[in-house]
């Protein structure tokens, strides 16, 4: 693992509410894990940090539902804590935001970092999540304006997927794969024509790494990390999974509110324009959507 080669010491603060790794997993060897809500941890008791990466958040179209009405407080409490922590340790902060902050688009568009953020429609849990993340970005930027020592980067990942992703958060690829492997109906929401540009999780990690080591003049900025070349419909995903597994599962079309309740809302179509990180930092995604599907199938079979 590259972080070991670089001699890094890593501390993870996590309440383990959605973790996919067990604490004895070899990936966590020589990693200090503090199993608490981070806002409950006294900043002064922590070791000296050289950088803070803030990834913690409720996530997933189904996973967010139970946080309705509390989502904004959870996300904003966390962001104020990590800002205070970064200021206390005099270290840079890397915030993993979301592509959801771009909001609604009536037609397919390739979203650039500076594009308008459009809130439209009902006050759904998804909108609460998106607006809390956007407000977090604003809070970070405004804190940096009054505290010049606060350096930050904001990363907006698009449709992350790959091995270890859990289906119970509402993530579509592991759900399709598990349904096909178990001979269950593959449940496609609505007509399946929704467009997504899935990005391999390790390509996202590579993007986070590049952004966190960007030159001094490229800090205090926002970065899309997503693979627009992987743009496909949800129906394509279901059909590919079914063929790859040679499953006898039927593909059926359902209204997700009948499964998850009236508060469920479908994500708007979000296709990234990732030219900024490619041109300025040399990021290059490595897996196409078919390769990602194959990895998830192989992993879930085990």
């Amino acid at each position: 693992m590259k972080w070991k080669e670089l001699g890094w010491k890593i501390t993870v603060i996590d309440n383990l509410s959605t973790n996919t790794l067990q604490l004895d997993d070899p990936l966590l060897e020589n990693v200090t894990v503090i199993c608490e809500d981070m806002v409950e941890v006294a900043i002064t008791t922590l070791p000296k940090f050289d950088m803070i990466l803030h990834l913690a958040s409720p996530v997933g179209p189904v996973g967010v539902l139970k946080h309705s009405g509390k989502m904004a407080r959870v996300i904003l409490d966390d962001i104020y804590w990590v800002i205070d922590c970064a200021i206390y340790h005099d270290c840079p902060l890397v915030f993993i935001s979301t592509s959801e902050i771009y909001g609604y688009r009536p037609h397919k568009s390739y979203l650039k970092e500076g594009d308008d953020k459009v809130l439209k429609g009902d006050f759904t849990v998804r909108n609460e999540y998106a607006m809390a993340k956007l407000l977090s970005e604003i809070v970070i930027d405004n804190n940096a304006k009054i505290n010049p020592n606060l350096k930050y980067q904001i990363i907006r990942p698009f449709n992350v997927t790959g091995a270890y992703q859990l289906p119970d958060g509402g993530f579509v690829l592991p759900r399709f794969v598990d349904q096909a492997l178990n001979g269950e109906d593959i449940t496609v929401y609505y007509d399946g024509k929704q467009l997504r540009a899935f990005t391999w999780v390790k390509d996202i990690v590579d993007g986070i790494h590049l952004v966190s080591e960007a030159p001094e003049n490229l800090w205090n900025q926002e970065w899309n990390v997503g693979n627009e070349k992987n743009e496909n419909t949800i129906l394509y995903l279901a059909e590919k999974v079914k063929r790859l597994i040679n499953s006898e599962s039927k593909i059926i079309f359902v209204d997700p509110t009948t499964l998850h309740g009236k508060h469920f809302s479908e994500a708007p179509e979000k296709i990234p324009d990732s030219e900024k990180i490619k041109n300025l930092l040399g990021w290059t995604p490595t897996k196409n959507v078919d390769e990602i599907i194959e990895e998830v199938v192989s992993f879930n079979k085990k």
Side-chain angles (χ1 to χ4, degrees):
M1 284 175 280
K2 190 171 182 179
W3 65 267
K4 290 184 178 180
E5 297 170 10
L6 294 170
W8 295 354
K9 295 180 180 179
I10 295 179
T11 299
V12 174
I13 305 173
D14 197 324
N15 63 14
L16 307 183
S17 59
T18 58
N19 62 302
T20 61
L21 294 180
Q22 300 302 311
L23 294 180
D24 59 357
D25 193 288
L27 286 172
L28 294 175
E29 184 182 357
N30 298 323
V31 174
T32 300
V33 182
I34 300 172
C35 301
E36 294 187 54
D37 284 332
M38 61 184 180
V39 294
E40 301 297 327
V41 177
I43 292 171
T44 55
T45 66
L46 294 168
K48 177 70 174 72
F49 294 146
D50 300 304
M51 179 176 291
I52 296 171
L53 289 93
H54 175 39
L55 300 95
S57 178
V59 71
V62 176
V64 300
L65 295 177
K66 62 185 177 182
H67 299 286
S68 180
K70 300 174 286 185
M71 178 71 69
R73 180 162 59 186
V74 170
I75 291 174
L76 290 169
D77 282 351
D78 286 356
I79 207 65
Y80 282 112
W81 188 91
V82 294
I83 290 171
D84 288 344
C85 195
I87 292 172
Y88 178 82
H89 289 280
D90 192 24
C91 71
L93 168 62
V94 179
F95 173 49
I96 312 304
S97 183
T98 174
S99 57
E100 297 273 356
I101 61 99
Y102 290 103
Y104 172 81
R105 294 294 188 280
H107 306 291
K108 184 183 80 171
S109 57
Y110 293 88
L111 299 164
K112 296 183 179 181
E113 286 83 355
D115 285 353
D116 289 341
K117 287 67 181 175
V118 182
L119 175 62
K120 182 177 179 180
D122 298 330
F123 291 157
T124 60
V125 189
R126 182 178 291 280
N127 278 341
E128 184 181 353
Y129 168 75
M131 292 302 103
K133 285 282 195 174
L134 178 59
L135 185 53
S136 295
E137 293 187 13
I138 295 169
V139 167
I140 292 171
D141 183 73
N142 283 338
N143 268 276
K145 287 173 180 172
I146 62 174
N147 189 334
N149 292 328
L150 177 61
K151 287 174 54 182
Y152 72 84
Q153 296 280 40
I154 291 170
I155 296 173
R156 299 167 181 162
F158 282 72
N159 297 115
V160 188
T161 194
Y164 289 96
Q165 191 173 44
L166 298 174
D168 52 7
F171 298 109
V172 64
L173 181 53
R175 177 167 60 84
F176 283 175
V177 170
D178 281 359
Q179 288 172 335
L181 287 172
N182 294 325
E184 302 168 358
D185 290 339
I186 299 174
T187 49
V188 174
Y189 296 166
Y190 304 116
D191 61 5
K193 294 180 181 177
Q194 310 93 309
L195 291 173
R196 298 289 183 271
F198 286 95
T199 312
W200 188 39
V201 61
K202 290 187 179 180
D203 286 336
I204 295 286
V205 171
D206 185 46
I208 294 171
H209 182 217
L210 286 170
V211 169
S212 70
E213 294 197 332
E216 187 77 22
N217 64 315
L218 293 179
W219 277 77
N220 291 24
Q221 297 194 35
E222 301 78 40
W223 303 85
N224 286 342
V225 185
N227 189 352
E228 53 266 51
K229 291 184 179 179
N230 278 349
E231 177 188 332
N232 272 292
T233 66
I234 295 296
L235 182 57
Y236 172 86
L237 206 67
E239 291 171 340
K240 179 69 177 181
V241 167
K242 178 178 165 67
R243 286 197 306 271
L244 195 61
I245 295 174
N246 195 24
S247 172
E248 296 183 0
S249 296
K250 295 179 181 178
I251 295 176
I252 64 171
F253 300 91
V254 300
D255 180 344
T257 61
T258 64
L259 301 175
H260 306 300
K262 63 181 181 179
H263 298 300
F264 179 91
S265 59
E266 180 75 329
E269 293 179 349
K270 306 183 303 297
I271 310 298
D273 180 321
S274 60
E275 289 305 304
K276 178 178 177 179
I277 191 171
K278 289 176 180 175
N279 292 337
L280 296 181
L281 299 179
W283 179 73
T284 305
T286 59
K287 275 195 188 294
N288 64 42
V289 68
D290 289 349
E291 292 171 322
I292 298 170
I293 295 170
E294 290 168 5
E295 179 190 76
V296 174
V297 168
S298 176
F299 179 82
N300 285 24
K301 277 183 175 179
K302 299 175 183 178

